[in-house]
Amino acid sequence: MPEQPSRTHLVLIPSYDTGERLFSTVAAARAQWNPVWVVIDGSTDGTGERLEAQAAGDPGLRVFRLPSNRGKGAAVLHGLRAARAAGFTHALTMDSDGQHPADLIPAFMQASRQRPETMVLGRPVFDASAPLLRVRGRKVSNSWTQLETLFAGIGDSLYGFRVYPVDGLLAVMEKQPWMRRFDFDTEAVVRLAWRGVKPVNIDAPVKYLSAEEGGVSHFRYGRDNALLTWMHTRLMIGFVLRLPMLLWKRLRRLPPFQP
């Protein structure tokens, strides 16, 4: 477990009613990085109280508790504001349900340190546990994202294992009311690309855990696909308005189109 905390990069984990899986996720993250922050997004399963007790004996772990469930993006926003206030420049987000590879945290952080002006994005490598409908659905979302950013190089629009520049993401989120729920991951990378933040992609495995393995999913096909449809609609409107500037930047190889 890392003893010396980073002063610039932290791990940020939003969590809502993840149950026991949260504790193994946090333990895996803490084994790789210091500090790790967790935002409990109005959970009612008792994990907030238990994790706070754990954090009392671990200076590398900090827990925030929101009074009600506000959505993944809102939880991340809360953590980002606290990170900025504490002087951090970058945050690696990862889900609390065990899908993301904690052992790759150091590699992602190193890539971010080498190019701090970029966003370091996980590009998922699926195994047999991945639901076929989810895999096909994200291909559609990825195609829209490529168009909306004029093919800036975003490897995957939905995989939430990423390192974001804190100031850039806060500037995006605080200017508009969206990105507070399941629409967060995709809209974050599109709007950051529009701001000139180059994506750097790193392959990373993703594992969909069964209920017997402690897997928890709050994804709802109808509700969340409707949310994504509305999100891509407004992003396409934004893309059309920005198209002349994006074309000029692409021709001049300006961020986010630089090598």
Side-chain angles (χ1 to χ4, degrees):
M1 183 176 295
E3 295 296 331
Q4 294 300 320
S6 170
R7 296 183 179 181
T8 59
H9 289 61
L10 61 84
V11 173
L12 182 59
I13 305 175
S15 179
Y16 171 63
D17 281 354
T18 316
E20 293 300 318
R21 178 57 59 180
L22 171 62
F23 300 98
S24 59
T25 299
V26 171
R30 277 292 289 120
Q32 300 292 337
W33 201 255
N34 183 3
V36 172
W37 290 7
V38 182
V39 180
I40 303 295
D41 185 25
S43 294
T44 59
D45 58 0
T47 52
E49 296 88 341
R50 291 171 59 191
L51 199 63
E52 281 184 329
Q54 181 179 325
D58 181 0
L61 176 62
R62 185 175 180 183
V63 179
F64 303 85
R65 291 176 63 190
L66 303 183
S68 60
N69 176 243
R70 301 175 185 175
K72 177 180 181 179
V76 170
L77 177 59
H78 185 90
L80 290 173
R81 286 170 169 161
R84 178 175 59 186
F88 288 93
T89 59
H90 293 77
L92 182 149
T93 59
M94 65 182 295
D95 291 349
S96 59
D97 57 7
Q99 289 189 9
H100 294 161
D103 60 306
L104 289 183
I105 291 174
F108 274 60
M109 295 300 204
Q110 180 60 25
S112 175
R113 284 171 164 169
Q114 290 174 346
R115 299 195 65 177
E117 78 282 4
T118 69
M119 50 180 164
V120 181
L121 310 180
R123 183 166 47 204
V125 178
F126 296 105
D127 63 12
S129 68
L132 185 59
L133 189 59
R134 295 282 294 273
V135 174
R136 288 175 175 173
R138 76 191 305 128
K139 289 181 179 179
V140 175
S141 182
N142 289 340
S143 297
W144 282 110
T145 299
Q146 289 287 0
L147 177 59
E148 291 154 359
T149 59
L150 201 60
F151 304 94
I154 293 170
D156 188 88
S157 63
L158 290 165
Y159 193 42
F161 190 76
R162 300 166 167 171
V163 186
Y164 293 107
V166 170
D167 285 345
L169 187 52
L170 279 173
V172 164
M173 297 189 75
E174 290 178 340
K175 286 183 177 179
Q176 45 84 40
W178 315 111
M179 302 170 60
R180 300 304 190 259
R181 293 193 175 276
F182 188 72
D183 53 351
F184 165 73
D185 290 315
T186 300
E187 193 155 358
V189 291
V190 171
R191 291 190 179 274
L192 282 172
W194 287 349
R195 284 180 59 87
V197 180
K198 179 181 176 62
V200 173
N201 302 291
I202 299 178
D203 287 346
V206 56
K207 182 173 178 60
Y208 288 85
L209 301 175
S210 66
E212 292 74 18
E213 295 173 303
V216 178
S217 175
H218 299 292
F219 180 80
R220 299 294 179 266
Y221 284 98
R223 177 197 67 189
D224 292 328
N225 281 321
L227 186 64
L228 289 178
T229 299
W230 163 232
M231 176 201 67
H232 281 301
T233 299
R234 63 178 181 266
L235 288 178
M236 278 301 299
I237 294 172
F239 165 69
V240 171
L241 295 174
R242 292 171 174 82
L243 182 56
M245 180 60 71
L246 288 171
L247 283 168
W248 182 76
K249 287 183 175 182
R250 188 169 185 85
L251 289 172
R252 298 291 299 274
R253 304 188 74 181
L254 296 175
F257 303 104
Q258 78 273 33

